[in-house]
Amino acid sequence: MGPRDAASPASDRAASFVAARLRTAGYRVTLVPLGVPAGVSWGVRVPAGTTVDVVADPPGFDPTRPHVVVGAHLDTVPQSPGAEDNASGLMVMAEVARMTRRQPGALPVRFVAFGAEEARGGNGTLYAFGSRHFVASLTGAERSAIRGMVALDRVGVRAAPVPVCHVAGADPSLADAIRAAASPAATRACTNKASDHVSFQKVGIPAARLGSVPYPAYHSARDVPSVVDPAQLSRSGAVLWAWIRSLR
């Protein structure tokens, strides 16, 4: 699909593609529209427009009952095809969603592909529009029901461990629980404040991020499929799957 700024037709195509995958897996899928402002994304001017959050709920899902949220962002910066950032996260999410429908765990999982994660402000502060919109739309009962949120963002670059990050200054218990559930798989602790998990942590929902290994093609036209290591995708998915299976 190539570069897919949040306000572009390519982003809409990505949303439709992910929605179709999740519907095929057996989820009730809702596309929730939201507006995004004009701005500058990684040095390139981008227009105002609309994007969507793709929200996938298992059959019979009640958002006021205990559950967890797993998310990954749809958009890229305007000059990058975004194989690692963030097709890697989207496809690991879609595959784990398929597995979870076949083998549901003790807690339901709500899967969300967020629109407009990438910054649209020169200082990097105007970002995560889709996840902030999602959190703002929740009732108090729905927020209280979320036991944890995991963002999959850049999970495919080869590395010995899988990064499991929490927001600096926040309680790391969720990230610690993910790493414990994944043992003996190799993971490493880290802090990160640059993805959709931050929107949840800001309102008191425990949140963590899988991924964020540095790589030379970051936010460039060179972020193509050869950047992504299939083994690392499998490792990242296995860490997420182990955590989901551990929930009680």
Side-chain angles (χ1 to χ4, degrees):
M1 296 175 188
R4 45 195 181 278
D5 172 69
S8 69
S11 181
D12 293 338
R13 289 194 296 273
S16 296
F17 178 82
V18 173
R21 290 283 295 266
L22 294 168
R23 287 193 187 99
T24 298
Y27 291 84
R28 185 180 77 242
V29 177
T30 306
L31 272 60
V32 181
L34 61 134
V36 292
V40 177
S41 179
W42 210 248
V44 178
R45 292 192 177 279
V46 289
T50 59
T51 188
V52 295
D53 286 342
V54 179
V55 182
D57 296 327
F61 177 74
D62 179 353
T64 66
R65 302 291 298 168
H67 65 280
V68 297
V69 175
V70 172
H73 71 85
L74 285 160
D75 60 318
T76 71
V77 294
Q79 67 271 48
S80 176
E84 169 68 347
D85 189 12
N86 185 40
S88 65
L90 285 168
M91 292 299 96
V92 168
M93 185 187 79
E95 177 61 6
V96 172
R98 183 192 67 81
M99 294 165 62
T100 303
R101 279 296 300 128
R102 291 191 173 191
Q103 297 183 49
L107 279 185
V109 185
R110 186 175 225 186
F111 293 92
V112 187
F114 295 111
E117 185 270 350
E118 298 289 359
R120 303 176 82 79
N123 60 2
T125 58
L126 297 174
Y127 77 109
F129 294 92
S131 54
R132 287 193 283 117
H133 184 270
F134 178 87
V135 168
S137 71
L138 298 173
T139 67
E142 290 169 343
R143 286 189 188 185
S144 297
I146 301 175
R147 297 293 182 259
M149 183 274 177
V150 176
L152 303 171
D153 193 349
R154 293 171 35 208
V155 297
V157 166
R158 184 182 302 228
V162 173
V164 182
C165 306
H166 69 280
V167 177
D171 185 348
S173 296
L174 176 60
D176 291 345
I178 294 169
R179 296 185 66 212
S183 180
T187 61
R188 68 172 174 85
C190 49
T191 58
N192 185 279
K193 60 177 183 178
S195 193
D196 291 305
H197 63 304
V198 177
S199 301
F200 290 77
Q201 191 70 59
K202 282 183 176 178
V203 298
I205 297 170
R209 171 180 174 174
L210 296 191
S212 72
V213 176
Y215 65 114
Y218 177 63
H219 281 188
S220 79
R222 294 176 289 113
D223 189 358
V224 295
S226 59
V227 167
V228 176
D229 175 41
Q232 186 72 5
L233 292 179
S234 295
R235 284 190 287 270
S236 298
V239 168
L240 177 63
W241 178 245
W243 173 66
I244 290 172
R245 303 307 297 174
S246 75
L247 296 171
R248 297 292 181 267

